[in-house]
Amino acid sequence: MTPNPRSLLCELTYRCNLQCPYCYNPLDLGNPRDDLDVDTWLRVLDEAAQLGILQIGFSGGEPTLRRADLLRMVERSTAHGAYTNLITQGTFLDARYLDELLAAGLAHVQISIQAPERESAFAIAGTDVHERKLEALRLVATRDVALTLNCVLHRLNHDALPEVIAFAEREGIRKLELANVQFYGWAYKNRGALIPTREQVERSATIVTAARDRLRGKMEIVYVLPDYFEEFPKPCMHGWAQVALTVTPDGRILPCPAAAAIATLAFPTVRDGSLADAWRDSAAFQAYRGTDWMPDPCRSCDRRERDFGGCRCQAFLLAGDAGATDPACSKSPHHDLVVALRGGGPVPEALPVPRRFTAATPAQHEASSIPSA
């Protein structure tokens, strides 16, 4: 019997005023006019409650660009008893709106920075918003709500890791998430410019260990190692279609935020069916659930119930087969693809391409424009 999912990520829109080259959003950002309307989103949240989902995340793009809709969605999720998490870069989060979200029941805010200082942050994000992020971070810190500071690490900012930790310490951050870039979407396109060197990864592990020891009891530091530098892959999403769902801005239902990269699967949509139907019956969700689909060496590996063969999206992007053993695994017949990337040598797209809408018509350009804060 298939267990019910425990978490849902709602990607409200792919619109964003930042152009981060490490974004996991797909290269085809679509037309914002195709984003789900709020009534459909509220139905999705009702269906999530019926499935027993306990955690709801709101992300994008930048979810606070749908200001009124996000407020209604937080309120509806809270009414169902769910724990709600806003994943934002913070530049549109003013005091009035934050207080409205908190009154609606928002339980947690994650704010991201690109670097600990303005110049580097501007170079990475392509938009000069670092000071506005700081204002949002300090604003949230004054409220009675859980707060996480997130910084995605890659070759362009890895060497600033000590400064990132020092920044978090100065700001009184209780939880710091340092996630090495995961190569999906725009990040995959830009992997030549973003993949850290082995020296950077090894140095950072030492820095994080020392910081954890020094700050124990004051700051929790979550450090996500890069798959490309480990011998075995992570249990991606705790296994395909095991615990989590994602709904994209246009309504596709995915077992993980990056799954749309797998071009060989047709994913269901909330426009045509329910979350429960997708979770229990869709071919896409059944494709890699459990262990029966596994080839060797996964099938005979004693880790198969621990890492579930690794990431299906990574397998598709690197090996061209979502059913292959994740090339990040040292036992994979495709592991040489990852080994070749570890040295930080030349690979496609050596210069980062900013994340941007490639709107084809004036109407699409209008729809993807960003309102003022």
Side-chain angles (χ1 to χ4, degrees):
M1 181 177 177
T2 302
N4 283 345
R6 298 196 293 270
S7 69
L8 169 66
L9 180 66
C10 301
E11 296 181 328
L12 273 63
T13 181
Y14 286 144
R15 290 185 298 151
C16 186
N17 55 323
L18 276 57
Q19 302 171 24
C20 305
Y22 59 78
C23 184
Y24 74 83
N25 285 168
L27 298 182
D28 180 4
L29 294 167
N31 186 339
R33 293 192 185 279
D34 294 331
D35 289 356
L36 296 176
D37 61 74
V38 68
D39 289 334
T40 303
W41 274 119
L42 294 176
R43 172 175 61 82
V44 167
L45 295 173
D46 292 342
E47 293 175 0
Q50 292 168 8
L51 270 173
I53 286 174
L54 301 175
Q55 297 186 38
I56 309 286
F58 302 102
S59 75
E62 177 47 50
T64 59
L65 286 169
R66 296 190 62 169
R67 192 175 178 106
D69 295 344
L70 173 60
L71 190 61
R72 292 183 64 187
M73 292 173 68
V74 170
E75 188 173 45
R76 180 66 64 90
S77 300
T78 301
H80 287 308
Y83 184 92
T84 52
N85 177 25
L86 174 61
I87 303 164
T88 177
Q89 35 87 353
T91 59
F92 300 105
L93 200 60
D94 57 69
R96 177 181 175 183
Y97 186 46
L98 174 61
D99 289 340
E100 289 175 339
L101 289 169
L102 297 180
L106 184 65
H108 180 268
V109 179
Q110 176 185 295
I111 294 181
S112 63
I113 60 168
Q114 283 68 41
E117 48 82 25
R118 180 180 179 183
E119 184 176 349
S120 296
F122 185 13
I124 294 168
T127 310
D128 189 6
V129 293
H130 186 66
E131 295 303 319
R132 290 167 66 183
K133 283 174 169 284
L134 294 188
E135 292 172 6
L137 186 67
R138 291 164 181 169
L139 174 66
V140 175
T142 67
R143 301 303 197 263
D144 184 18
V145 62
L147 170 63
T148 297
L149 176 65
N150 171 270
C151 184
V152 176
L153 299 176
H154 43 81
R155 192 189 301 183
L156 305 179
N157 67 359
H158 234 286
D159 293 335
L161 179 57
E163 289 76 20
V164 173
I165 295 172
F167 169 86
E169 192 174 2
R170 287 196 305 272
E171 296 296 327
I173 298 299
R174 297 285 298 171
K175 183 173 182 180
L176 172 63
E177 182 177 274
L178 302 167
N180 276 278
V181 61
Q182 301 294 300
F183 293 106
Y184 311 109
W186 290 85
Y188 183 77
K189 180 178 181 65
N190 287 312
R191 66 196 184 281
L194 298 177
I195 187 168
T197 65
R198 178 176 289 280
E199 291 75 17
Q200 284 180 315
V201 171
E202 291 175 350
R203 176 173 175 264
S204 294
T206 301
I207 291 169
V208 169
T209 298
R212 282 173 169 165
D213 290 342
R214 182 174 61 82
L215 297 171
R216 184 171 288 111
K218 294 176 59 179
M219 182 193 302
E220 176 187 359
I221 301 178
V222 179
Y223 183 64
V224 182
L225 288 167
D227 281 351
Y228 285 15
F229 290 87
E230 296 193 85
E231 289 304 301
F232 299 105
K234 298 178 182 66
C236 186
M237 305 300 294
H238 303 286
W240 181 271
Q242 292 290 324
V243 300
L245 284 163
T246 293
V247 176
T248 65
D250 64 1
R252 285 169 295 168
I253 309 171
L254 310 176
C256 80
I262 304 177
T264 51
L265 292 178
F267 292 99
T269 170
V270 298
R271 301 181 195 273
D272 300 324
S274 69
L275 290 184
D277 291 340
W279 181 258
R280 294 171 181 153
D281 303 322
S282 74
F285 276 68
Q286 297 289 347
Y288 306 112
R289 180 179 270 148
T291 59
D292 290 346
W293 61 272
M294 290 182 176
D296 276 326
C298 294
R299 181 180 295 273
S300 56
C301 181
D302 60 6
R303 296 178 58 89
R304 65 185 179 277
E305 298 283 357
R306 294 168 57 190
D307 59 33
F308 304 101
C311 177
R312 299 302 88 224
C313 306
Q314 199 155 260
F316 181 81
L317 289 169
L318 290 172
D321 178 7
T325 300
D326 186 343
C329 181
S330 57
K331 297 182 179 182
S332 167
H334 303 288
H335 188 56
D336 60 309
L337 297 173
V338 169
V339 172
L341 297 172
R342 287 179 176 174
V347 292
E349 302 292 352
L351 295 175
V353 178
R355 174 204 186 275
R356 292 188 179 122
F357 275 93
T358 54
T361 68
Q364 285 177 306
H365 278 293
E366 180 184 352
S368 63
S369 63
I370 303 298
S372 60

